[in-house]
Amino acid sequence: MVALENAKLKQLLERFVIAVGISLMLGIVLIGEEGREIIGSIVGIIMDPIIMLVGESNFHVMLFIMAAITALYASLIQKYTIDWELMRSTQERMKSFQKEYREAQLAQNNYMINKLDEQRKEMMSDQMEMSKQQFKPMAYISIISLPLFMWAYYYISEHGSAVLTFPFMGETLLTTPIIGPIQYWIFWYFITSLAISQVVRKALDIGGV
């Protein structure tokens, strides 16, 4: 009885966290500039003292620290919320299925094509489960990453003097647009996050599907 109640409580908490994560993912678009600034200023209660220690002129270092933290907890969440064996086996089955289906089409083997169409229906359930497992970590990760990103957006908009020396580009203001609305600080944040994430994922032996 206790185990059942604990399972229900865990499921309820999981749904609540996912709902909060989805709300943040949608909210970052829907709440507008004023809403993003409000969230950024709230997160700033924690982050502003840290940036004071790092130094306002070293905002790129702060972005690197944020990227490292994001990469670490995102990788840990993915490691323990995704069934990687199911992911790998589903990917392998899909590759094998696509190869057989192409061969059947080239041979105009209608019997095999019909048989593989039936098999496709059976595989859909595994693909749906795989999609759900990939979506759930996104909701968890957004609870921390999106408020941090909103703080960075809010802070850099108020302190646009931070610079960073990029290869082949020289010293550049982090608020300078690089492509459309994407500024250099966003570019720096994502490339550092991606690089650190690859190292962490390799260390934790996750992914590789």
Side-chain angles (χ1 to χ4, degrees):
M1 187 68 177
V2 175
L4 181 61
E5 290 179 356
N6 288 338
K8 288 182 178 179
L9 179 60
K10 181 180 178 182
Q11 188 178 44
L12 183 63
L13 287 172
E14 185 179 88
R15 289 178 178 175
F16 174 75
V17 172
I18 291 174
V20 173
I22 293 172
S23 298
L24 278 171
M25 284 190 285
L26 295 175
I28 195 172
V29 177
L30 299 176
I31 60 177
E33 185 75 18
E34 185 177 346
R36 287 191 286 270
E37 288 184 358
I38 290 172
I39 294 176
S41 62
I42 292 172
V43 178
I45 296 171
I46 299 172
M47 300 302 294
D48 287 348
I50 300 175
I51 190 64
M52 291 298 292
L53 292 174
V54 174
E56 291 185 4
S57 61
N58 296 320
F59 188 70
H60 63 283
V61 177
M62 191 65 189
L63 290 173
F64 182 86
I65 294 171
M66 286 171 52
I69 294 171
T70 302
L72 178 59
Y73 76 73
S75 297
L76 287 171
I77 288 173
Q78 289 175 334
K79 180 176 177 64
Y80 294 108
T81 58
I82 293 178
D83 185 343
W84 291 103
E85 287 302 319
L86 174 63
M87 296 279 282
R88 291 187 181 99
S89 64
T90 302
Q91 290 284 349
E92 289 171 3
R93 286 176 60 200
M94 180 56 67
K95 288 178 183 178
S96 177
F97 172 84
Q98 289 172 343
K99 181 180 178 181
E100 288 183 43
Y101 200 86
R102 281 195 300 269
E103 290 175 352
Q105 285 180 319
L106 290 172
Q108 297 183 343
N109 189 335
N110 292 329
Y111 170 77
M112 183 59 69
I113 291 173
N114 291 333
K115 185 178 179 180
L116 289 171
D117 283 337
E118 290 296 322
Q119 185 180 336
R120 190 204 301 271
K121 295 175 184 177
E122 295 174 5
M123 294 178 64
M124 287 298 293
S125 60
D126 283 345
Q127 286 185 297
M128 286 294 293
E129 179 62 27
M130 191 172 68
S131 298
K132 285 194 293 184
Q133 288 197 18
Q134 289 175 320
F135 179 76
K136 189 185 295 184
M138 287 175 56
Y140 291 154
I141 293 166
S142 66
I143 291 176
I144 297 177
S145 62
L146 287 181
L148 280 176
F149 194 83
M150 289 184 203
W151 169 79
Y153 175 84
Y154 171 72
Y155 185 89
I156 199 72
S157 65
E158 297 292 321
H159 304 80
S161 60
V163 296
L164 179 62
T165 302
F166 287 88
F168 310 110
M169 301 175 188
E171 190 175 80
T172 308
L173 281 172
L174 289 177
T175 52
T176 302
I178 181 170
I179 300 174
I182 299 176
Q183 298 176 345
Y184 273 91
W185 73 267
I186 300 176
F187 173 68
W188 168 248
Y189 175 83
F190 278 110
I191 61 172
T192 52
S193 180
L194 182 62
I196 297 169
S197 178
Q198 292 302 312
V199 175
V200 173
R201 291 169 72 87
K202 186 70 174 178
L204 295 175
D205 189 28
I206 62 176
V209 293

